Amino acid sequence: MSLKFALNDGTQIPWLGFGTGTVLKGRDVAASIKTAIETGITHLDGAQGYNNEETLGQGIRESGIAREKLFITTKLDESPTESVKDALKTSLKKLGLNYVDLYLIHSPFRAFKEGKLKQWWKEMEELKKEGLAKSIGVSNFTVEHLQIILEDATVVPAVNQIEVHPYVWDTASQIYSFCKEKRILIQSYGGLSPIVRVPGGPLDPILASAAARLSNESGSPVSLGQVLSKWLIQKEVVVLTTSSKASRIKEALSTASLPDLTADEISAIETEGVKSHKRFFMGHVFNE
Ligand SMILES: NC(=O)C1=CN([C@@H]2O[C@H](COP(=O)(O)OP(=O)(O)OC[C@H]3O[C@@H](n4cnc5c(N)ncnc54)[C@H](O)[C@@H]3O)[C@@H](O)[C@H]2O)C=CC1
Ligand SMILES: O=CCc1c[nH]c2ccccc12
């Protein structure tokens, strides 16, 4: 049985999601999606803005897996040209689906500037009521953005998808704590940044020493990436990653069953991480 986290609306979400943004944005993802599903992925993360929802849907169909076995997310663009409902209907048509498991507001930036955050959230709540999205949530929201929609919300966002890794833990931890208190699950993206985007940083020796201990204990090789993902799992944070290689997907999937990191290892990862702030995605939100 693979690990799932509970959402505040009573549904469950697989801890690991396969992303179709970043390196896959604008590309034909059908083959990657089929490989991911055949390797054991059941959670797929898409977005209107990734411009590949058609081939995401194609990959799902070609995999032959039953719809109800999958958890599928897509996101409302930051500057949609249609109403929120029409935008989701367009996404569903492209995906070839009747509903998504999770629909997210991709970014608060534009709606916040135009004073439309509350109105967008009301429209999101309607979509959930109509069953077009089983769960609804947000992405790239700071505490300030969340507080605005929570003032009038009848549905608390199920998730907030943000950049989380040790090099942004100084700011991400504040959003994480607020969301924990409100029972909003955090989904992390960019989680492998310390090893894929800025390798050689102060975190590497700590990741290497934890990986060596876990390798000894589990009897099979554990990578630095798995240590980063294990850190997130132990915080009950969903991990979004991507790879066209079945071997890397297999490795990622096996992370949940590794022995736990110790409290000292977790503390060392966070202490070293916050010494070296490096943000890769949420600059448009935080203006850093
Ligand atoms: N809501 C938002 O604003 C954003 C959402 N996302 C979502 O999150 C997903 C994942 O984001 P990423 O930053 O790409 O994830 P990530 O930080 O896990 O990086 C993935 C990269 O790492 C490489 N990789 C994967 N496994 C590896 C391993 N074991 N060793 C070394 N390299 C490895 C891959 O080739 C890929 O280039 C996106 O596809 C998208 O769905 C991403 C960015 C922003
Ligand atoms: O998902 C990654 C970053 C992001 C935030 N808003 C958009 C819109 C379109 C593509 C990517 C993104």
Side-chain angles (χ1 to χ4, degrees):
M1 179 64 184
S2 51
L3 177 67
K4 290 185 177 180
F5 296 135
L7 296 179
N8 63 16
D9 57 14
T11 59
Q12 293 203 315
I13 184 167
W15 77 271
L16 181 66
F18 184 87
T20 56
T22 49
V23 287
L24 294 179
K25 190 175 157 198
R27 288 177 47 189
D28 181 333
V29 295
S32 304
I33 292 299
K34 191 165 171 272
T35 302
I37 294 172
E38 285 167 358
T39 312
I41 289 286
T42 55
H43 171 181
L44 303 162
D45 184 75
Q48 185 183 1
Y50 298 161
N51 211 17
N52 54 19
E53 285 171 309
E54 287 100 337
T55 55
L56 167 55
Q58 185 190 334
I60 292 168
R61 286 188 298 282
E62 286 177 359
S63 78
I65 195 169
R67 165 68 183 94
E68 61 276 12
K69 292 216 166 104
L70 292 176
F71 188 102
I72 305 168
T73 302
T74 197
K75 311 184 192 86
L76 173 72
D77 204 34
E78 153 175 298
S79 306
T81 52
E82 304 169 283
S83 68
V84 173
K85 186 172 177 176
D86 285 346
L88 176 55
K89 282 188 167 170
T90 302
S91 284
L92 288 172
K93 201 165 170 197
K94 287 182 176 172
L95 289 161
L97 300 172
N98 300 325
Y99 70 93
V100 284
D101 296 276
L102 180 62
Y103 195 48
L104 304 179
I105 296 177
H106 203 145
S107 162
F109 186 59
R110 182 73 181 270
F112 176 67
K113 227 166 73 180
E114 294 176 2
K116 290 183 181 162
L117 274 180
K118 286 185 179 186
Q119 182 196 318
W120 277 25
W121 189 250
K122 279 282 147 229
E123 292 177 55
M124 294 288 284
E125 289 180 339
E126 280 305 310
L127 299 179
K128 179 173 163 61
K129 234 185 257 168
E130 290 176 33
L132 295 172
K134 299 276 179 213
S135 299
I136 51 173
V138 297
S139 176
N140 295 310
F141 272 47
T142 62
V143 170
E144 183 188 8
H145 301 129
L146 287 165
Q147 278 168 331
I148 291 171
I149 61 169
L150 287 174
E151 274 173 26
D152 290 350
T154 56
V155 177
V156 174
V159 314
N160 185 14
Q161 184 179 120
I162 59 170
E163 180 177 354
V164 189
H165 49 77
Y167 290 146
V168 290
W169 189 238
D170 48 357
T171 44
S173 61
Q174 294 158 29
I175 304 176
Y176 171 83
S177 301
F178 180 83
C179 288
K180 244 302 171 266
E181 189 194 313
K182 303 286 179 197
R183 298 189 57 232
I184 301 169
L185 193 81
I186 295 286
Q187 288 187 308
S188 67
Y189 65 76
L192 294 179
S193 296
I195 58 162
V196 299
R197 298 187 173 94
V198 278
L203 208 54
D204 284 22
I206 291 148
L207 298 178
S209 120
R213 184 188 66 77
L214 292 175
S215 301
N216 271 338
E217 219 169 290
S218 64
S220 54
V222 171
S223 70
L224 307 191
Q226 285 179 295
V227 175
L228 285 166
S229 295
K230 192 72 192 177
W231 174 71
L232 292 165
I233 292 172
Q234 285 180 238
K235 296 190 171 307
E236 266 201 55
V237 167
V238 165
V239 177
L240 298 174
T241 188
T242 194
S243 176
S244 50
K245 295 185 185 150
S247 59
R248 282 189 173 163
I249 299 170
K250 231 180 242 169
E251 178 194 290
L253 281 163
S254 71
T255 307
S257 55
L258 289 175
D260 277 351
L261 295 169
T262 64
D264 283 350
E265 285 166 341
I266 290 174
S267 163
I269 288 171
E270 290 166 19
T271 308
E272 242 5 89
V274 300
K275 278 186 197 161
S276 174
H277 178 87
K278 287 190 180 71
R279 179 176 298 290
F280 300 94
F281 297 94
M282 282 179 70
H284 62 296
V285 177
F286 292 111
N287 293 322
E288 290 168 6

